[in-house]
Amino acid sequence: MTKNRGFWPMRDIPTVLWLLLTVIAALAHRALPMPGWLMIHLLLLGAVTHAILVWSQYFSFALLRSAATDRDRRHQSIRLILSNSAAALVIAGVLSGIWAVTLTGAAALIVAVTWHAATLVRRMRGSMPGRFGRTIRYYISSAALLTIGAALGAWLARGDSAPNLVVAHALINVLGWIGLTVAGTVVTLWPTILRTRADENAATGASRALPVLAGGVVIAATGAALAQLLVVAVGLGAYLVGLVIIFVSLIRAARQKAPRTFAALSVGAALLWWAGAVAAVAVGAVLAALDGSGFKALDALFGQVVPYLAAGFAAQVLVGALSYLVPVVLGGGPTPVRVGTAGFDAAGILRVTVANAALAVCALPVSSLMRVVASIMYLVAMASFLVVMWRAMRAQRRAKAGGPVGDAVRRHGPIVPEGEQPPGRRSGQAVAGLLAVVLVAAGLAAVDPVGLGWSAAPVGAADAPVQTVQVEAANMRFTPDRIEVPAGTRLVVEVTNTDDEQVHDLAFANGIAGSRLAPGEKETIDVGVITADLDGWCSILGHRQMGMTLQIVATGAKAGAAANADAGEHDMSGMGGGSASEPAEAPDLMADPGPGFEPFDAELPALPASGAPITRELTLTVRDEKREVAPGVTQTLWTYNGTAPGPLLHGRVGDRFVITLENKGTMGHSIDFHAGSLAPDRPMRTIPPGKSLTYTFTATRAGIWMYHCSTMPMTAHIANGMYGAVVIEPADLPAVDRSYVLVQGEYYLGDHDGGTVDPDRIATRDPDLVTFNGYANQYDHAPLPAKVGERVRVWVLDAGIERPSSFHVIGGQFDTVWSEGAYLLDRSTDTGSQALALQPAQGGFVELTFPEAGTYPFVSHLMIDAERGAHGLFAVGE
């Protein structure tokens, strides 16, 4: 392999770049909202996958006693370009919500990995393998599993993010693609790192373990896909048996020479995290099956374990292996290799100790603050590898060239890696690393004692007893919702979000509040010493009004004590909505709109000539948008594609609609299309931030149909902008000269400068604004054009949430009225209609011609609503 030296490290440069991106994403995650899957995929799909493709080829040449040709190098370069491009496309596609990009990336990855496996098969058949040559089968098996995992991942990216399929995808990719590769590699790499002989039974054990490990992955993933907990447990149990077979030979090698270098300690720690994580999930699957908590409990557990598989197992085995392999393959003779090894070993024991101790703290039931600080310590310890790697490779190259490092070696003798230095120096680093983590934890415990489960009463309550209570948040309720606490007792609440879909939090009237919890997440809240009754609630907008409250009763408190009064009923929703039922000063609807005003486009373009039904695809992205809703009044709306109402959908009976809903908002949202008839369970489910789903329906009946968010409280979600219209034209609908769509909606205003809908105002059933297409009186400022004699059709939908509509054009008469699927008038010549009456979620259209030029107001003839903004103008010219 001498002539291959230098080729392999250069091919591994993208691994370093992916690691750097992972570090940047992890740091940015502390300040910016960023999906957790991004860091995991940057590490596993980017860095680890690239390293596997590089080094499994390297080991195949070594173990099969062959050498890389120029053709091998060219093909390897193409595969690596293809796989890295694939990883970038997959990540970009999921982030952007463009499924075609994700699918292209997944297909490219499958091609690259299949090609990789084919070369290994061909090389294996054409070689005389050595003792460990059969371990190449691990690489082939892992590649086969990745093709399945990549295909499943592409399917999930389309929107079917069922928890059981997500778990199956992760099991195949992490335990299959990465796990099998590591298992096949450490059989030979581990004793090599230790610089000792491999166990005499290692090769036989590896051959026996492969079918057990691969079968375990297949069984566990199949069980997950079918949501069968015991099948998952059986598969993971088999996988653990396979690990035991592998680990026996590794332990025997370690007995001959204990691990001391950074490479050995990092790989060894990774193997322990690997086995521990698999065991935790296996036990969790059994317990979930026995106690009846179902797959939801396993999904929550798996979501907690995956970061430790990524950070504890995959990341550590990667940096550990590279720390040994790069100096060896970079070569240059014994002295340069020793220089490089010593460079990679710099502060090695310190780095391993800090990383694993910090990761262990993260795994404990500590406070979010302590977990954040511990994760930063882990990140610093691991990211230092990038600096160490650069310095070590530079030093080794200088030693090869006889530069300053080489001169120093000649003058002062060989450089001794830290792993070979006296035990006192090594133990000093271990103690220093452990002390660093312990001291930081102790300092945080002094500030946040509950983070370690301690009780630290404030001044004057040092001897206060502590009462800890578990609270579950689900279905717009806290359980229990009443807690009795002896007065003078410090209350610690351990809150868990056991909801299937909704984000929740818990805030108290004394100003203490927890953070927002996604389904399955938990945290500990130190409420303080209870001296009087105290109210708590979920501060997510509207949840408190839905009944998500909690009462703490101080038993034995002095009469008249009132913690709520002292606290002033703090509103910690942070959403901009007030809690008072009285409106603020009324908006001036006669004023001009603010700068940048653009009216909502009310025109409905004509459909192409009728033909066969077609498929119409649209992505609706949920975003929080600050928008003007009346002159001088802005609200932070929850929107579909940035507008309220959302985009207009238009088609004919028989058309198929494929809608991708992406949630890039700050809470759970959903969508309900009245235009489709189907079971609501899956397509109308609430999805948390960062998730997506695909909603497919076929339009079977004509009408103007409402769509809206159906997440509770539905009143708040609709009133804050999450609604829109779908126009499905009847087959025989005659053509007109102009067609418009008006959607009536309501605003219950929060603060007039960027506030959010006020649930207490909704309870009064008295809106502040009633609008057509989301802005009060907007078509007074931008009249809808028409000409004398033209036939104008106006589609009207009442999106509610409370007010009916009586659509009327002042100075006009309707000769056609179509309401909720039926004609009340159809091109009548001697009778007419003056108004289209609609209840919330009803719609229809009217037609009229204007007899002469002029300005024709249109209103809801519930005149109080016309004065609240349901008013506009037709500008009719000759």
Side-chain angles (χ1 to χ4, degrees):
M1 293 296 292
T2 302
K3 66 179 180 178
N4 295 327
R5 293 186 186 277
F7 168 73
W8 302 103
M10 293 303 294
R11 288 295 181 270
D12 214 36
I13 289 175
T15 297
V16 178
L17 297 179
W18 283 112
L19 285 172
L20 184 59
L21 286 175
T22 305
V23 172
I24 293 171
L27 293 173
H29 182 63
R30 299 300 168 197
L32 301 173
M34 187 175 296
W37 64 262
L38 176 59
M39 288 171 286
I40 291 175
H41 280 71
L42 286 172
L43 174 63
L44 303 186
L45 181 59
V48 175
T49 292
H50 180 89
I52 288 174
L53 292 176
V54 170
W55 293 102
S56 58
Q57 288 284 336
Y58 171 82
F59 280 109
S60 74
F61 283 114
L63 296 174
L64 297 176
R65 301 171 180 175
S66 58
T69 65
D70 290 338
R71 182 171 178 269
D72 292 326
R73 294 186 180 94
R74 287 195 303 271
H75 287 182
Q76 173 74 337
S77 297
I78 296 171
R79 282 195 299 273
L80 294 178
I81 292 171
L82 187 60
S83 66
N84 282 286
S85 300
L89 285 173
V90 168
I91 293 171
V94 176
L95 281 174
S96 64
I98 303 174
W99 185 68
V101 175
T102 306
L103 181 62
T104 302
L109 181 64
I110 290 172
V111 170
V113 172
T114 302
W115 185 7
H116 165 76
T119 63
L120 296 177
V121 171
R122 186 170 58 251
R123 190 173 302 132
M124 189 172 181
R125 288 177 176 176
S127 303
M128 293 293 292
R131 176 186 171 195
F132 291 99
R134 291 187 177 182
T135 56
I136 305 303
R137 294 176 180 175
Y138 278 82
Y139 304 150
I140 298 169
S141 301
S142 67
L145 287 171
L146 182 59
T147 61
I148 300 171
L152 180 56
W155 174 263
L156 290 170
R158 187 173 174 85
D160 187 7
S161 54
N164 57 316
L165 296 181
V166 174
V167 172
H169 165 72
L171 287 172
I172 293 171
N173 289 347
V174 178
L175 301 188
W177 168 238
I178 298 174
L180 288 186
T181 301
V182 171
T185 301
V186 294
V187 172
T188 53
L189 182 61
W190 177 250
T192 305
I193 292 175
L194 296 177
R195 293 181 172 83
T196 187
R197 296 190 310 275
D199 178 59
E200 60 182 10
N201 297 318
T204 303
S207 297
R208 292 174 179 172
L210 176 58
V212 180
L213 288 167
V217 172
V218 172
I219 292 171
T222 302
L226 299 176
Q228 297 298 314
L229 291 169
L230 290 179
V231 176
V232 174
V234 169
L236 293 179
Y239 193 87
L240 285 170
V241 171
L243 289 182
V244 169
I245 296 173
I246 294 290
F247 284 6
V248 167
S249 64
L250 304 185
I251 293 171
R252 287 173 178 169
R255 284 179 176 175
Q256 298 178 45
K257 190 172 183 180
R260 294 187 179 93
T261 64
F262 171 79
L265 292 170
S266 184
V267 172
L271 300 180
L272 294 178
W273 282 105
W274 182 17
V278 174
V281 178
V283 172
V286 173
L287 294 178
L290 295 178
D291 65 17
S293 55
F295 201 88
K296 181 176 71 172
L298 180 63
D299 177 48
L301 173 63
F302 195 76
Q304 295 171 2
V305 169
V306 163
Y308 298 97
L309 276 170
F313 165 50
Q316 289 202 103
V317 81
L318 175 62
V319 299
L322 290 178
S323 295
Y324 174 79
L325 289 170
V326 172
V328 171
V329 177
L330 198 58
T335 296
V337 170
R338 197 166 182 80
V339 168
T341 301
F344 273 97
D345 213 22
I349 298 174
L350 176 67
R351 288 185 281 138
V352 171
T353 304
V354 171
N356 285 277
L359 204 57
V361 170
C362 290
L364 295 173
V366 297
S367 69
S368 57
L369 174 62
M370 189 170 293
R371 186 169 286 113
V372 166
V373 174
S375 64
I376 292 174
M377 295 185 73
Y378 165 85
L379 184 63
V380 170
M382 294 297 290
S384 63
F385 167 78
L386 298 175
V387 178
V388 169
M389 181 180 186
W390 175 76
R391 295 183 61 183
M393 292 181 69
R394 184 182 64 170
Q396 186 168 349
R397 288 194 178 98
R398 287 179 175 177
K400 288 170 64 176
V405 175
D407 294 339
V409 171
R410 284 190 291 272
R411 287 196 306 270
H412 304 294
I415 294 177
V416 180
E418 290 185 2
E420 300 176 17
Q421 291 180 1
R425 183 182 177 93
R426 298 197 303 270
S427 61
Q429 286 195 35
V431 171
L434 190 60
L435 276 177
V437 177
V438 170
L439 288 174
V440 170
L444 287 174
V447 177
D448 180 23
V450 178
L452 286 179
W454 302 344
S455 63
V459 176
D463 298 326
V466 178
Q467 179 175 334
T468 302
V469 179
Q470 283 76 37
V471 173
E472 293 186 357
N475 302 317
M476 295 298 170
R477 293 292 183 273
F478 289 113
T479 305
D481 60 2
R482 187 176 189 273
I483 302 172
E484 292 189 357
V485 181
T489 299
R490 173 171 289 275
L491 177 64
V492 175
V493 175
E494 297 176 352
V495 59
T496 304
N497 183 357
T498 58
D499 215 325
D500 291 326
E501 302 166 337
Q502 294 270 29
V503 174
H504 296 297
D505 65 11
L506 177 56
F508 292 94
N510 63 357
I512 300 296
S515 56
R516 293 191 173 184
L517 302 176
E521 291 184 339
K522 62 177 65 177
E523 73 172 334
T524 301
I525 303 174
D526 181 7
V527 185
V529 176
I530 303 301
T531 59
D533 294 351
L534 184 68
D535 287 339
W537 59 85
C538 178
S539 72
I540 305 295
L541 194 143
H543 289 199
R544 184 181 186 182
Q545 286 76 10
M546 290 287 296
M548 200 165 187
T549 60
L550 179 148
Q551 183 183 22
I552 298 172
V553 178
T555 59
K558 295 180 179 179
N564 291 341
D566 293 341
E569 291 287 355
H570 298 289
D571 176 13
M572 290 166 288
S573 67
M575 301 298 297
S579 60
S581 60
E582 292 299 321
E585 182 179 350
D588 181 5
L589 301 187
M590 302 303 292
D592 291 331
F597 166 74
E598 292 185 10
F600 189 95
D601 187 1
E603 184 178 359
L604 180 67
L607 291 171
S610 180
I614 65 174
T615 296
R616 303 177 184 274
E617 296 188 10
L618 176 67
T619 296
L620 294 178
T621 301
V622 176
R623 288 190 178 91
D624 296 0
E625 294 278 352
K626 184 177 180 180
R627 300 186 64 87
E628 190 174 58
V629 297
V633 178
T634 60
Q635 295 285 278
T636 300
L637 303 179
W638 306 328
T639 68
Y640 296 116
N641 285 10
T643 64
L648 174 67
L649 281 68
H650 189 196
R652 292 191 176 94
V653 172
D655 286 354
R656 181 171 176 263
F657 290 81
V658 179
I659 310 299
T660 299
L661 178 68
E662 297 178 331
N663 188 356
K664 294 187 178 179
T666 56
M667 65 180 67
H669 292 293
S670 59
I671 197 163
D672 171 5
F673 284 98
H674 293 190
S677 179
L678 72 174
D681 306 69
R682 294 294 298 166
M684 300 183 196
R685 69 187 186 274
T686 296
I687 56 174
K691 296 294 185 179
S692 65
L693 62 77
T694 299
Y695 191 130
T696 302
F697 67 91
T698 299
T700 57
R701 300 178 188 275
I704 178 168
W705 304 91
M706 182 179 177
Y707 69 85
H708 60 90
C709 181
S710 56
T711 299
M712 300 302 286
M714 203 180 306
T715 52
H717 285 251
I718 296 174
N720 208 47
M722 304 199 76
Y723 62 89
V726 182
V727 174
I728 305 298
E729 295 188 359
D732 56 352
L733 186 67
V736 293
D737 297 300
R738 296 179 188 269
S739 188
Y740 294 107
V741 176
L742 300 174
V743 181
Q744 180 176 303
E746 303 161 20
Y747 288 114
Y748 300 80
L749 300 175
D751 183 88
H752 287 193
D753 184 12
T756 308
V757 61
D758 184 346
D760 291 332
R761 292 285 304 135
I762 291 175
T764 69
R765 309 179 70 174
D766 184 22
D768 299 294
L769 299 174
V770 180
T771 68
F772 289 126
N773 291 344
Y775 190 101
N777 291 355
Q778 68 175 310
Y779 301 114
D780 287 354
H781 306 285
L784 303 179
K787 292 184 178 180
V788 173
E790 286 184 335
R791 177 163 288 275
V792 178
R793 177 179 296 135
V794 184
W795 294 85
V796 184
L797 172 69
D798 184 350
I801 50 176
E802 282 289 334
R803 305 294 294 172
S805 183
S806 179
F807 182 73
H808 171 69
V809 177
I810 298 173
Q813 294 180 333
F814 308 141
D815 64 8
T816 300
V817 178
W818 191 83
S819 178
E820 282 295 287
Y823 281 101
L824 304 182
L825 288 175
D826 187 5
R827 303 289 171 93
S828 173
T829 59
D830 56 358
T831 60
S833 172
Q834 58 197 316
L836 172 62
L838 301 171
Q839 289 292 322
Q842 290 186 334
F845 67 79
V846 296
E847 294 179 9
L848 76 163
T849 58
F850 295 100
E852 58 184 354
T855 301
Y856 293 74
F858 58 86
V859 298
S860 170
H861 219 287
L862 279 76
M863 295 309 299
I864 185 64
D865 292 343
E867 294 168 359
R868 288 168 166 166
H871 189 286
L873 299 174
F874 284 109
V876 180
E878 294 291 349

